[in-house]
Amino acid sequence: MRYSWIGLWLFLSVPVVASTAFFDNSFGIRSLGMGGTAIAAFHSAESPLWGLPSETETGSVALESGNLYGVPYWSAAWTKAFEIQPLQISYIGSVQSGIPRTVISQGGNPTETGDTFGTQFHRVDATWTVRSFQEMRVGVTATGYFEAIDTERAYHPSIGLTILEPAGPDSPWSWLLGISNILSTGHAWSTGRVDETIRTLRLGGAGPVWPTTAAAIELAYSQTGYWFSQPFHLSQLTLSLGGEVLVVQTETMKGLFVRTGLKDMSLASLYTPQWTAGIGMQFRDWQLDYAYVMPLHAFLEQMHRFQVTVYLPQSEQ
């Protein structure tokens, strides 16, 4: 039986979407709950680009788990302060086997072939932040990425740049300009095929709108990416919105936060925006965060992600 390229695309659609999510969704749980706005991750004292929450802490360790549209994953991040130049190293990965192979014929009917295949996704990021132009932060991220889908293997090194103007006495809002995959050759597969990778330009701002409420807004432009020489992400201009409300604050808990947002609202009406939500509990030395993302398509599962962050105190001398 002859199957179309569309059929091949659909039978691998979940791994492809998960692969894209692994490669382009690394801003953290707070960001995800607030519409996926990158600025929401950096408009926070806990972010590696901003610095560390207090002079008594020297770094942090974060552990994360959940699913990316049905694909289980795990993640860990380590942040260390070197004076005013924090370094963060993070890893996210997934290994899954026994996935039923399904193809879609030209007639549009899904058919299981009776065998299975496996997937792997592994990504390591190293972000080095320097302070320049007075209070402005410049972060350079080097990424190494490996994925395997069925019998295919691919690797992808890239460089990204993020510039943050943090909130200060003159302005309560933070502003961000970021470019992902600036230096990138695309996915180089074991078969010799090279697929184009999405490059995204982000411009965002975040700050207080009421004493207990923060808002985030981000405008992003992404280029078309290609997989098996077929476009899997069309060039588009998107708007993302997010909000966070401080609900409870006690002597032992710095805050209980509720978050929500709309992710990737296409200004060309090509895609339906995704609704996101989240909750966070922040204590003196640690915090717990959860995020939910509505699926992109009906055949994808809902996304649930959890993260625990522990802040490392300075050692006594």
Side-chain angles (χ1 to χ4, degrees):
M1 180 180 294
R2 297 174 62 87
Y3 295 101
S4 64
W5 278 108
I6 295 177
L8 179 61
W9 160 259
L10 289 176
F11 109 76
L12 288 176
S13 57
V14 173
V16 170
V17 172
S19 169
T20 304
F22 268 96
F23 198 79
D24 197 41
N25 194 2
S26 60
F27 299 116
I29 301 301
R30 182 174 189 253
S31 165
L32 200 59
M34 296 176 65
T37 52
I39 182 63
F42 300 127
H43 181 73
S44 168
E46 288 78 27
S47 79
L49 208 64
W50 187 294
L52 292 167
S54 74
E55 295 180 355
T56 63
E57 296 164 359
T58 60
S60 65
V61 175
L63 300 177
E64 181 183 331
S65 185
N67 75 79
L68 292 174
Y69 305 114
V71 177
Y73 78 96
W74 58 89
S75 175
W78 170 79
T79 304
K80 175 67 176 178
F82 296 92
E83 296 181 352
I84 60 173
Q85 300 175 336
L87 170 67
Q88 184 182 68
I89 299 176
S90 62
Y91 163 82
I92 182 170
S94 173
V95 178
Q96 193 175 22
S97 61
I99 304 173
R101 189 188 305 274
T102 303
V103 295
I104 309 296
S105 66
Q106 291 183 349
N109 298 317
T111 303
E112 291 192 6
T113 62
D115 60 341
T116 62
F117 69 100
T119 62
Q120 290 187 49
F121 306 102
H122 302 282
R123 168 179 171 163
V124 176
D125 293 282
T127 300
W128 180 257
T129 304
V130 297
R131 184 180 306 201
S132 60
F133 307 108
Q134 297 180 348
E135 293 300 314
M136 186 177 295
R137 273 76 162 172
V138 179
V140 179
T141 301
T143 299
Y145 180 75
F146 170 82
E147 70 175 289
I149 300 178
D150 203 10
T151 59
E152 293 265 19
R153 302 287 186 273
Y155 63 91
H156 181 94
S158 66
I159 299 291
L161 178 68
T162 306
I163 301 173
L164 175 73
E165 178 67 31
D170 298 331
S171 173
W173 277 62
S174 300
W175 300 96
L176 175 141
L177 174 66
I179 308 174
S180 64
N181 304 325
I182 300 175
L183 301 178
S184 171
T185 59
H187 285 64
W189 292 83
S190 55
T191 57
R193 188 183 80 250
V194 176
D195 293 330
E196 291 188 32
T197 301
I198 302 169
R199 290 177 175 85
T200 302
L201 173 67
R202 302 175 185 274
L203 176 63
V209 291
W210 288 289
T212 59
T213 304
I217 181 171
E218 180 177 278
L219 193 64
Y221 175 77
S222 300
Q223 71 164 150
T224 299
Y226 289 87
W227 194 77
F228 271 100
S229 302
Q230 303 297 312
F232 67 88
H233 183 101
L234 300 178
S235 295
Q236 59 173 328
L237 186 65
T238 60
L239 178 68
S240 297
L241 302 172
E244 179 182 69
V245 178
L246 173 62
V247 179
V248 177
Q249 192 172 35
T250 67
E251 293 183 359
T252 59
M253 182 171 61
K254 288 185 177 181
L256 171 64
F257 300 92
V258 175
R259 304 161 184 148
T260 189
L262 288 175
K263 184 175 183 291
D264 295 338
M265 294 184 289
S266 175
L267 301 185
S269 300
L270 294 175
Y271 300 99
T272 302
Q274 296 173 269
W275 174 67
T276 73
I279 189 170
M281 299 175 63
Q282 186 175 14
F283 299 88
R284 178 184 176 184
D285 300 321
W286 66 283
Q287 69 183 63
L288 174 66
D289 294 285
Y290 161 77
Y292 163 85
V293 180
M294 182 181 69
L296 282 164
H297 304 286
F299 61 84
L300 295 174
E301 296 184 19
Q302 299 174 349
M303 185 190 296
H304 300 275
R305 297 174 65 174
F306 300 85
Q307 185 179 63
V308 176
T309 304
V310 178
Y311 297 105
L312 308 177
Q314 289 184 348
S315 59
E316 297 183 1
Q317 297 182 356

